[in-house]
Amino acid sequence: MEEIYVRHVELLGFEKRFFPSQHYVYMLMVKWNDLSEKLIYRGYPEIYTFHKSLKEMFPIEAGDIDKKDRIIPALPAPKWLDNQKSTETRQSTLAEYCGSLINLPPKISRSQLVRSLFKVRPEDENPPAQHPLKRNETFVVSNDKTRDNTSEISGPIILESYRVIADYSHTSKYEITLQIGDLVEIVEKSPNGWWFCQCDIKRGWVPASYLEPLDGPEESEEADPNYAGELYITTKAYKAAEDDELTLEMGETIEVIHKLLDGWWVVRKGEETGHFPSMFLYRTGEKKEMESEEHVMRRQTPPPRRSTIRNAQSIHSKGRQRISQDTYRRNSRRFLQQKGGRPNQPRKTSKASTQSPLQEWNNRDNIPKTTGSSPGGELKGAPIIPPRPSPELIMERCTENTRKKVSRLWSSHASSET
């Protein structure tokens, strides 16, 4: 049986607790080599006690015999009295320590002592009772800040609260079951559309599509479309289940033009656009980033989309605004034409997508034929008659209702010829 060891540790922030007395614990997201991940809570005194035990177990690597042999990172001793300021400013040091610790040789990083420190405990999954009059305060580190500079550590940020719009039943031990109307606090927003939440004493992953902000239906963090596109490669094949999705094979290079928080990004393949699960994508030339987020691949299926949720009930009178694929394609073509990209090219589909009936049809009556020029050549100054639009372009610019009628008409025409 393969040995279980810690693959990555990420410092998320800290909690200020008041029971049985005021103290602080750090929130650590621990990712193991079996692709599982757990949120644990550790106080700084315990981590420092572990550090001293580690140095005793590996005196050579600790530099006790010869200082030049030291590879175990240093860790400052705790203060006699911890306060919120010292707990906050120590975050960068602790984040560096955990990162260096996991990158030590396997005999250290995979030792029983290290595994015991990061192993999930019952009190991690079911935290102790809170103070009867004071609620625990949670503070998180901004991911946009450089963690090796304490001056750039963000100030305390209270976790965002979201409301559950429909009942959700967990499908794995890493998720939690929620009821409509529940309020959850967001600990981590993963770009794959799975968010790590806490609801009372429960903690686990939840699809972002089941959650809505309290102050309005729109996500303030959601970026605008970027029609210049970012190159990504598909890591897994996906067959479209909805009309506005895109079917792609593994290993295809596409352009991401809109990163949505629910994990279903809008991608462009040629001039075709559609939603595609971000958990099956990684940026070209950035394998390191892919490795740091390998945990997103442990799930076999992407999170459900908002459009597939039944009996969803929002507290907002206006629903969330969504951009249609027709708008994405129209704006994409306009951008490419302005940049001198691929103007007026026929829409291209992926290998696994089903071609339009008009694309499969023999276009002999619609494609202009090039004939030999007349003896006198082309008439200079004569107006240029544009060629008749190709069937692909006609299908692309017509309405969805017209497209369906033409498809049915041609299907019946093809069957009558056979």
Side-chain angles (χ1 to χ4, degrees), residues 44-298:
Y44 192 79
E46 179 185 356
I47 298 175
Y48 185 74
T49 300
F50 154 82
H51 174 68
K52 293 195 298 182
S53 301
L54 189 69
K55 291 174 60 180
E56 294 174 359
M57 181 176 292
F58 300 99
I60 297 177
E61 291 79 2
D64 292 343
I65 299 176
D66 191 339
K67 291 185 178 180
K68 67 179 183 180
D69 294 328
R70 177 163 188 171
I71 59 174
I72 294 179
L75 189 68
K79 297 183 178 181
W80 284 104
L81 181 62
D82 267 339
N83 56 35
Q84 184 168 313
K85 183 63 177 177
S86 63
T87 304
E88 177 186 345
T89 56
R90 196 191 287 130
Q91 291 180 111
S92 59
T93 301
L94 186 56
E96 278 187 18
Y97 178 81
C98 291
S100 301
L101 178 64
I102 300 307
N103 290 322
L104 290 174
K107 71 172 184 178
I108 303 177
S109 61
R110 303 182 185 183
S111 64
Q112 180 61 38
L113 187 62
V114 174
R115 295 201 304 268
S116 297
L117 174 67
F118 295 114
K119 184 179 180 181
V120 67
R121 302 168 184 169
E123 57 267 28
D124 294 322
E125 297 182 318
N126 298 294
Q130 298 193 30
H131 192 278
L133 301 179
K134 295 182 179 180
R135 185 180 181 183
N136 294 342
E137 298 177 10
T138 304
F139 306 89
V140 296
V141 177
S142 172
N143 291 330
D144 298 330
K145 301 296 182 180
T146 305
R147 296 182 181 181
D148 58 359
N149 190 337
T150 56
S151 65
E152 293 188 354
I153 293 288
S154 68
I157 302 174
I158 302 299
L159 294 182
E160 294 179 274
S161 293
Y162 277 70
R163 177 184 174 274
V164 181
I165 64 170
D167 295 343
Y168 178 74
S169 299
H170 70 275
T171 58
S172 76
K173 62 181 179 180
Y174 306 108
E175 304 169 19
I176 57 175
T177 296
L178 296 172
Q179 304 295 323
I180 186 172
D182 285 346
L183 295 181
V184 300
E185 293 179 316
I186 311 301
V187 177
E188 179 184 353
K189 291 182 178 181
S190 175
N192 65 0
W194 290 94
W195 291 3
F196 196 87
C197 309
Q198 58 183 26
C199 181
D200 296 330
I201 63 172
K202 299 185 296 183
R203 291 177 173 86
W205 296 96
V206 176
S209 54
Y210 275 76
L211 306 175
E212 68 175 359
L214 298 180
D215 54 354
E218 302 299 329
E219 288 284 1
S220 58
E221 299 178 24
E222 204 156 73
D224 294 330
N226 173 24
Y227 291 103
E230 298 179 51
L231 290 180
Y232 278 73
I233 296 177
T234 58
T235 60
K236 187 175 181 180
Y238 175 77
K239 185 176 182 180
E242 302 291 331
D243 292 339
D244 59 352
E245 297 175 3
L246 207 58
T247 296
L248 294 172
E249 297 290 343
M250 177 180 176
E252 292 198 56
T253 301
I254 52 85
E255 297 170 289
V256 174
I257 61 175
H258 200 182
K259 296 180 178 179
L260 301 174
L261 292 181
D262 63 0
W264 287 85
W265 292 356
V266 180
V267 305
R268 179 172 62 209
K269 178 70 173 178
E271 286 198 358
E272 184 73 18
T273 66
H275 290 281
F276 193 83
S278 64
M279 64 186 298
F280 297 155
L281 297 172
Y282 79 93
R283 193 194 300 267
T284 57
E286 293 190 9
K287 293 185 178 180
K288 184 176 181 180
E289 177 182 335
M290 179 189 176
E291 292 170 0
S292 67
E293 296 186 359
E294 281 182 352
H295 65 280
V296 305
M297 299 301 296
R298 73 170 189 271

